[in-house]
Amino acid sequence: MSSRSKEALAQAASVRLVAAACAGQGEKWNQQEQLHSAAGSQAKAWAAAEPLVAVCARCPIVTECRMWAEADDYTGIAAGSAWVKGVEKPAHWIPRHPMKKLAS
């Protein structure tokens, strides 16, 4: 996909983000994303992501958010998942570590 196409998709999807359950929570979101990106274990990554994932779970536009995160090459928490340069990962994902299934 060309960068122009990705940009157009990201812009189209971002229009609906004003209806997101996370609207107005930017400061909290940024703090939790920083904790998530600094996590040294999957348990710490999940603990940082969990409050954000809970917001995503009640969001009416999670599909649009997922499309936006992918098209915008987003890194952070969106649509109930972790994202790294537009690639979706489990919320407990941390870089350079093999994935393990967390106990439910």
Side-chain angles (χ1 to χ4, degrees), residues 3-88:
S3 62
R4 279 191 170 300
S5 297
K6 284 186 91 170
E7 184 177 317
L9 277 172
Q11 287 177 349
S14 71
V15 170
R16 295 260 303 136
L17 294 182
V18 296
C22 64
Q25 297 185 35
E27 188 174 322
K28 171 191 172 184
W29 211 269
N30 291 338
Q31 290 172 347
Q32 292 304 118
E33 284 182 329
Q34 287 175 356
L35 290 172
H36 183 267
S37 68
S41 71
Q42 289 178 338
K44 287 181 181 179
W46 174 245
E50 186 176 25
L52 307 183
V53 170
V55 172
C56 295
R58 67 176 193 273
C59 186
I61 62 153
V62 74
T63 300
E64 291 92 335
C65 187
R66 182 171 279 111
M67 290 178 359
W68 166 79
E70 183 177 359
D72 198 50
D73 292 332
Y74 185 68
T75 295
I77 305 295
S81 297
W83 291 82
V84 180
K85 297 179 183 176
V87 176
E88 190 171 12

